[in-house]
Amino acid sequence: MRIDLHTHSNVSDGTDTPAELVAKASAALEVVALTDHDTFDGLAEAVAAGVQAGVEVLRGIEISAQHRGASVHLLGYGCLADAPGLAAELAHVREGRAQRVPAMLANLARYGMPVPVDVLARQVGDSPSVGRPHLADAMVELGYVADRREAFDNWLADDKPIFVHRYATELKTALRLIRQAGGVALVAHPWGRGSRAQLPPELLAELAASDLLDGVEVDHQDHDQATRADLRALAAELGLLATGSSDYHGAGKQEHDLGCNLTAPEVLTEIRRRVAERGGRL
Ligand code: AMP
Ligand code: FE
Ligand code: FE
Ligand code: ZN
């Protein structure tokens, strides 16, 4: 059984509509979770498309959290979208996403790459969750860079000149909100892109012991083989679930094809059990 639990549609920073993503998933997978950044807005369309296409679509989200100023992405599965605490916090995060845009546009202008607001607005489309990938796509459209990767590597990454900080939920708060919404919480790509130092084994152990964290995403393109082996061993030692997923973004990310990493059926069974126990809806 092919199970991929981390994908993005154009409701956040992917490039496929939820229905297009699910149609593609039906050719490659038996189960797919849609995990857009900080919004549940794509789920209804995706679930309906899954019924049509004959692929099971699970309800997920990727939440922008932070720990001591460093970004930590959390995957939530089976959260009730209308749980008040979580819904209010996600609105706060999305507001923070929108609020940082003028400062990043000012930085782009300062570096000789003006991005008219209508160009950016077209890239954002109907997404309620604007992110740097939309700015990257506007930069591509205007001929400043060749692709998203170049935009991030030279300009938009956290240590590059265009970057502007944004609001993100404190890690333990976000974990509690996922739990209160009936969901299962995992850290996405915990040791990818230099973030290993921010999430040391002691912190993962503390979160596991506090019973707020269900697992970690082990098989991810941002983890090399040695990192996966270390993280898998740590997850086993701490009793954390270990998943594998693509982090598909459509045309927005190379080498993240649907199904490039997979989650074991028994892990999904345990996720289902916990969501049911907590009153969530997968
Ligand atoms: P933001 O949500 O505005 O903080 O932007 C973070 C998003 O940018 C992540 O969810 C990734 O999808 C994307 N991203 C980060 N680094 C890169 C990169 N090097 N190339 C392409 N996309 C990236
Ligand atoms: Fe993304
Ligand atoms: Fe992420
Ligand atoms: Zn993601």
Side-chain angles (χ1 to χ4, degrees):
M1 179 136 86
R2 295 173 61 83
I3 302 163
D4 186 339
L5 296 182
H6 184 171
T7 70
H8 298 271
S9 77
N10 68 357
V11 170
S12 64
D13 59 6
T15 59
D16 296 338
T17 66
E20 286 166 353
L21 184 156
V22 169
K24 290 175 188 174
S26 71
L29 304 165
E30 278 78 52
V31 182
V32 66
L34 181 66
T35 54
D36 273 315
H37 295 284
D38 306 313
T39 176
F40 295 111
D41 283 7
L43 294 180
E45 178 184 327
V47 169
V51 172
Q52 290 294 313
V55 58
E56 188 181 7
V57 175
L58 302 180
R59 293 174 180 81
I61 192 164
E62 185 172 12
I63 300 180
S64 304
Q66 55 96 16
H67 179 70
R68 297 188 174 158
S71 174
V72 180
H73 286 181
L74 294 178
L75 291 163
Y77 297 108
C79 297
L80 298 178
D82 55 1
L86 180 57
E89 183 59 21
L90 291 174
H92 190 181
V93 172
R94 293 191 300 266
E95 198 176 286
R97 287 177 164 281
Q99 277 171 358
R100 85 199 301 201
V101 168
M104 286 203 288
L105 290 177
N107 286 346
L108 281 163
R110 196 172 305 129
Y111 279 85
M113 297 179 286
V115 173
V117 283
D118 62 304
V119 172
L120 178 60
R122 203 158 356 97
Q123 294 297 344
V124 175
D126 294 331
S127 171
S129 189
V130 57
R132 282 174 282 170
H134 298 116
L135 274 178
D137 291 347
M139 293 168 75
V140 173
E141 180 182 330
L142 294 163
Y144 301 144
V145 292
D147 53 25
R148 279 190 188 184
R149 180 174 300 183
E150 187 186 334
F152 271 88
D153 288 352
N154 292 348
W155 303 108
L156 299 174
D158 294 23
D159 56 348
K160 297 298 172 184
I162 307 303
F163 174 75
V164 173
H165 192 75
R166 66 173 161 82
Y167 173 78
T169 312
E170 204 282 317
L171 175 57
K172 286 181 190 166
T173 302
L175 288 169
R176 275 189 211 99
L177 289 170
I178 291 172
R179 178 67 60 93
Q180 286 163 8
V184 162
L186 286 84
V187 180
H189 44 72
W191 288 352
R193 292 217 181 94
S195 64
R196 191 163 177 163
Q198 322 299 333
L199 285 168
E202 306 77 62
L203 175 59
L204 292 173
E206 182 194 326
L207 296 173
S210 73
D211 196 38
L212 289 170
L213 182 67
D214 290 288
V216 286
E217 188 179 49
V218 169
D219 290 306
H220 184 280
Q221 297 302 79
D222 291 351
H223 294 156
D224 62 22
Q225 292 304 325
T227 301
R228 295 180 190 203
D230 290 354
L231 192 53
R232 201 183 317 280
L234 180 65
E237 183 189 322
L238 298 177
L240 291 169
L241 301 174
T243 61
S245 297
S246 64
D247 202 0
Y248 175 77
H249 282 67
K253 260 189 190 173
Q254 309 308 310
E255 291 150 28
H256 287 255
D257 293 339
L258 286 168
C260 66
N261 299 298
L262 296 169
T263 292
E266 54 272 24
V267 172
L268 176 55
T269 299
E270 180 60 18
I271 291 173
R272 290 189 203 278
R273 195 189 68 72
R274 293 186 193 188
V275 169
E277 186 177 85
R278 295 170 192 173
R281 180 176 181 228
L282 201 55

